[in-house]
Amino acid sequence: MTTPLQSTATSPIHLAADSAVGDARFGKPADGWRRALFSVIFESESRLGRLFDLILIAVIVTSVAVVILDSVQAIHLRAGHVFGVLEWVFTGLFTLEYIGRLACVKRPLRYATSFYGVIDLLALLPTFLVALAPEFAYLIDVRILRLLRVFRIFKLSRYSAEYRALVSAVAASRRKITVFVGFVMLVVLVMGTLMYVVEGPVHGFTSIPVAIYWAISTMATVGFGDLVPKTDLGRAIASVMMLLGWGVLAVPTGIVTAEMARRGPDDDVVPMAGRGILAMTPPPAMPPRRLTPAARRRALAQHRRGGR
């Protein structure tokens, strides 16, 4: 999908094909007004499709800005009524978009239960809940429902090629990241238990979960300071945890970066040079070079002399 947020280094044809394949699972109508509407909403190859994307991106960013500004009490007291009107305008636009997406696909239930379908529903549901069921104010703070509208920002990911490339790299590295997270949890559990034994409740480490919390904050190099080891052995363990935290923070970044470099700018797998044992594999065969007439004559003369 070619969008304003797309990088110039990414092929528009490649992204349009990827988007078409991804949206095809919802069912593209064969003809009629539904096919025309599908081309405008889900595709960006036409002028109307690009204009629809631009308008929708502007509405999403503006609606999220309204939610953020409305959360400031001083601004809310002065312009709360204006934000209320704008919110209903945004909700109406997102409702029309949601109905249009459901109407122009063959499998509306599949779209409604997809990631973007759920995000589209969360973008408009809080306003209707507060308006249709005021009793929710007695069960839950209305501002919580209003702040749920910030989920609209996730709708922008549909139009960002770089976001899709990052998600693909993280998804391809999920097994390595899972193993790494398991290792970190193991280290945190062991170190937290050790600190509980060394420091004890006297110095604030009242239980193993509390000590694990300290280990997590220390390994993440946050160090809130609410729990501080007092003994020399505890400080030595804390020093090891701090130094280990620097290396731990770099591992996920290296995994995802290596995967993105392997995939290349167009999300295609790029062959990498082998290392270690892999470097012992024979290189691919090179195509034979064409000999010039002079080189062919010299080779023939050497062959004749060798035959004698």
Side-chain angles (χ1 to χ4, degrees):
M1 182 182 295
T2 308
T3 66
L5 300 181
Q6 176 181 308
S7 173
T8 56
T10 308
S11 171
I13 299 177
H14 179 78
L15 290 176
D18 287 346
S19 178
V21 171
D23 295 331
R25 68 184 187 276
F26 306 133
K28 183 176 181 180
D31 52 12
W33 65 270
R34 296 177 64 194
R35 181 182 178 88
L37 186 61
F38 186 95
S39 300
V40 173
I41 294 180
F42 284 95
E43 299 174 353
S44 300
E45 299 176 358
S46 63
R47 181 179 179 183
L48 288 177
R50 290 191 293 270
L51 181 62
F52 176 82
D53 288 348
L54 286 172
I55 294 176
L56 192 58
I57 289 172
V59 172
I60 292 171
V61 173
T62 307
S63 65
V64 173
V66 167
V67 173
I68 295 174
L69 293 176
D70 194 30
S71 65
V72 181
Q73 191 64 23
I75 299 178
H76 175 73
L77 293 176
R78 287 184 296 177
H81 60 287
V82 178
F83 290 155
V85 174
L86 289 176
E87 190 54 49
W88 275 109
V89 172
F90 295 143
T91 302
L93 293 176
F94 288 131
T95 303
L96 292 176
E97 180 216 357
Y98 185 67
I99 295 175
R101 291 184 183 275
L102 294 178
C104 69
V105 295
K106 291 183 178 180
R107 306 180 184 91
L109 182 60
R110 178 174 293 185
Y111 175 78
T113 55
S114 65
F115 173 77
Y116 290 120
V118 173
I119 293 300
D120 290 340
L121 185 61
L122 287 176
L124 54 94
L125 190 60
T127 305
F128 289 115
L129 281 179
V130 175
L132 300 178
E135 60 271 14
F136 272 101
Y138 300 99
L139 302 177
I140 189 172
D141 190 1
V142 178
R143 294 187 65 83
I144 296 178
L145 291 177
R146 292 168 59 190
L147 292 177
L148 284 178
R149 298 165 186 160
V150 79
F151 278 98
R152 292 170 184 167
I153 200 68
F154 286 103
K155 291 162 64 69
L156 285 176
S157 61
R158 178 186 287 126
Y159 309 100
S160 175
E162 289 77 10
Y163 172 86
R164 292 196 297 271
L166 179 61
V167 170
S168 298
V170 173
S173 307
R174 61 184 179 276
R175 295 185 63 181
K176 296 178 182 178
I177 295 178
T178 301
V179 173
F180 168 74
V181 171
F183 169 76
V184 172
M185 292 177 63
L186 179 63
V187 172
V188 165
L189 177 61
V190 172
M191 289 295 189
T193 306
L194 188 60
M195 284 297 293
Y196 171 72
V197 173
V198 172
E199 296 291 330
V202 179
H203 298 146
F205 294 82
T206 56
S207 64
I208 292 181
V210 172
I212 290 176
Y213 157 77
W214 169 86
I216 293 174
S217 62
T218 303
M219 179 171 283
T221 68
V222 177
F224 292 108
D226 50 350
L227 285 176
V228 180
K230 299 296 192 300
T231 64
D232 294 337
L233 182 57
R235 290 172 179 172
I237 297 175
S239 301
V240 173
M241 290 288 293
M242 295 174 195
L243 295 176
L244 188 61
W246 283 100
V248 164
L249 292 176
V251 173
T253 305
I255 293 175
V256 177
T257 303
E259 183 64 29
M260 293 184 69
R262 189 178 72 88
R263 287 179 171 267
D266 293 335
D267 204 27
D268 295 329
V269 177
V270 178
M272 304 294 288
R275 295 182 178 180
I277 298 177
L278 297 178
M280 298 174 61
T281 58
M286 299 295 294
R289 293 187 304 173
R290 297 184 59 182
L291 296 177
T292 61
R296 189 178 298 109
R297 287 195 297 269
R298 288 195 298 269
L300 183 59
Q302 292 177 359
H303 177 70
R304 289 176 178 174
R305 288 197 298 268
R308 295 175 184 175

